[in-house]
Amino acid sequence: MQINLISDTVTKPTAGMLDAMMSATVGDDVFKEDPTVNALEEKVAHLFGMEAALFFPSGTMTNQTAIKLHTQPAEQLICDKYAHIYNYEGGGVSFNSGVSCRLIDGNRGTMTAAQVVSAINPPDFYHSPLTSLVCVENTANKGGGTCWDFNELEKIGEVCKQHKLGYHLDGARLWNAMVEKKENPLQYGQLFDTVSVCLSKGLGCPVGSLLLGTKEHMEQAIRIRKLFGGGMRQSGFLAAAAIYALDHHIDRLAEDHKRAKEIGEVLVARPFIKKVEPIETNIVIFEIDESYMTSMDFVEKLKEKDILIIGMGQGKLRMVTHLDYTQAMHEQLLSQLVSF
Ligand SMILES: *Cc1c(COP(=O)(O)O)cnc(C)c1O
């Protein structure tokens, strides 16, 4: 039995999801004639109380589209130094939008409103790039699945209003944050100009993300999606998976969080562990005491036992729990960890 904890993207569609996909009614979504895609977009827009939504092939494309929507070339956005848009989107911020990133030295992927204020360039100082957008990420991936304090997000929202900045949420794992903090999508819909959510992470879909915002934003977004090559045809098969996941796979994220915390408890008690970062959702980030073994040795030793995990650089290792990580796998992993 292979145990794959590399990411929550390694899941495969469940039997129920495959059934929903196979019985989907489809059409050509490039002509906006796929009823299942239209239904998904309406469902998620309604869930967040936002005017409109647009289905995308990837989370990267939703974020890149949002950045393009809110900025002009040579402008600057503000984000945390751990942000996915800065670290893991191939430099698309500069390539696709011609925009630079002003990085905040935040706390595990989160930042404060005061830090945002101090990063805004004065708009009349024409020597500096014009600040036009603030991007936040919830949960913060590289921060270890960190959940934001909603009050701080509101304060940053106020700063954005005062300074007329766009406010985008990279909510690839927002489902995890909302389940963990018992929050409501309407809160997020009210606060942000645009929100991106992933369906292929915790929710277990094979493909798909959505961008949410005003009707006007989505009319522009469909043009940018075209420009980025992201129009899909009978994508209702994928949208059907998403609708199924929204109905069946959100509440169960609490199980992933519980297992991640249990992994953390076992790890922290092992002598070869230097540090386990706080575990808030489904991501476990930890470091090996290299006087016992190197991090890469540990990854290799697990691999010999058919357990797959990933390095995050700077000696940090990561495990992510997900839909296909069963209780049997969990028990096996915990017993293997105590055998080291
Ligand atoms: C995974 C992820 C994305 C999008 O990734 P894709 O692989 O392009 O779908 C965006 N933001 C965060 C925080 C992520 O973890």
Side-chain angles (χ1 to χ4, degrees):
M1 174 169 63
Q2 188 184 66
I3 302 177
N4 189 340
L5 294 165
I6 285 178
S7 176
D8 42 8
T9 54
V10 301
T11 56
K12 304 204 175 119
T14 60
M17 184 180 279
L18 280 173
D19 276 348
M21 293 170 77
M22 296 318 279
S23 55
T25 312
V26 299
D28 188 340
D29 182 55
V30 170
F31 293 106
K32 291 311 288 169
E33 277 172 7
D34 187 303
T36 311
V37 173
N38 293 341
L40 170 67
E41 291 175 347
E42 271 164 43
K43 183 182 172 80
V44 179
H46 184 254
L47 192 64
F48 282 79
M50 294 181 97
E51 277 179 17
L54 191 63
F55 188 47
F56 279 76
S58 77
T60 297
M61 201 188 277
T62 58
N63 284 331
Q64 291 299 315
T65 297
I67 293 163
K68 186 93 185 133
L69 276 178
H70 294 295
T71 61
Q72 292 299 321
E75 292 179 352
Q76 192 163 68
L77 66 79
I78 296 171
C79 65
D80 182 78
K81 65 179 188 295
Y82 280 175
H84 193 278
I85 57 161
Y86 175 70
N87 290 287
Y88 303 122
E89 299 191 4
V93 173
S94 57
F95 187 81
N96 296 317
S97 296
V99 163
S100 58
C101 294
R102 175 73 168 264
L103 300 182
I104 304 274
D105 186 15
N107 178 23
R108 301 176 54 237
T110 70
M111 55 206 187
T112 65
Q115 284 177 307
V116 172
V117 170
S118 65
I120 299 171
N121 293 328
D124 54 354
F125 189 70
Y126 68 84
H127 310 280
S128 305
L130 185 68
T131 309
S132 51
L133 174 65
V134 175
C135 294
V136 297
E137 185 177 312
N138 198 15
T139 67
N141 175 2
K142 196 174 163 74
T146 325
C147 298
W148 277 75
D149 170 8
F150 194 79
N151 287 327
E152 205 59 43
L153 290 175
E154 286 181 317
K155 284 185 198 159
I156 295 174
E158 281 305 311
V159 171
C160 290
K161 276 210 185 90
Q162 271 169 21
H163 296 264
K164 298 193 169 54
L165 309 176
Y167 195 20
H168 172 68
L169 169 62
D170 176 354
R173 292 192 183 81
L174 185 59
W175 314 108
N176 296 84
M178 291 192 295
V179 164
E180 190 59 28
K181 306 269 280 188
K182 302 187 169 42
E183 292 164 341
N184 184 320
L186 294 171
Q187 292 171 252
Y188 286 92
Q190 264 175 14
L191 186 54
F192 288 92
D193 295 317
T194 50
V195 175
S196 66
V197 291
C198 253
L199 304 156
S200 59
K201 299 256 164 88
L203 298 195
C205 293
V207 176
S209 280
L210 287 142
L211 183 65
L212 296 133
T214 60
K215 250 196 172 123
E216 205 181 324
H217 272 144
M218 290 311 110
E219 281 162 11
Q220 270 176 278
I222 200 168
R223 185 172 274 282
I224 297 168
R225 190 184 69 179
K226 179 75 180 185
L227 175 67
F228 289 172
M232 297 185 285
R233 301 292 181 177
Q234 284 71 33
S235 39
F237 291 117
L238 302 173
I243 291 170
Y244 180 88
L246 290 164
D247 293 340
H248 296 91
H249 292 168
I250 293 182
D251 294 342
R252 63 152 305 285
L253 291 171
E255 277 174 46
D256 295 345
H257 301 176
K258 180 168 170 278
R259 289 187 184 130
K261 283 178 188 126
E262 287 167 359
I263 293 170
E265 279 159 23
V266 169
L267 280 176
V268 85
R270 307 305 303 146
F272 57 87
I273 295 290
K274 184 166 134 197
K275 183 183 176 195
V276 180
E277 294 190 7
I279 297 161
E280 297 186 42
T281 51
N282 66 330
I283 300 178
V284 183
I285 294 182
F286 60 101
E287 288 170 51
I288 302 292
D289 179 345
E290 301 227 331
S291 63
Y292 282 83
M293 62 186 136
T294 67
S295 336
M296 283 308 122
D297 282 345
F298 183 62
V299 172
E300 278 307 310
K301 282 187 176 155
L302 285 178
K303 201 168 173 184
E304 283 162 20
K305 299 180 191 294
D306 224 5
I307 298 169
L308 308 180
I309 73 165
I310 199 172
M312 296 285 281
Q314 293 152 342
K316 291 185 182 184
L317 298 176
R318 188 182 83 166
M319 297 182 185
V320 188
T321 58
H322 53 75
L323 183 61
D324 287 0
Y325 177 64
T326 61
Q327 186 58 27
M329 292 177 186
H330 186 51
E331 282 161 22
Q332 170 147 0
L333 174 79
L334 297 184
S335 70
Q336 289 292 353
L337 290 177
V338 295
S339 75
F340 273 95

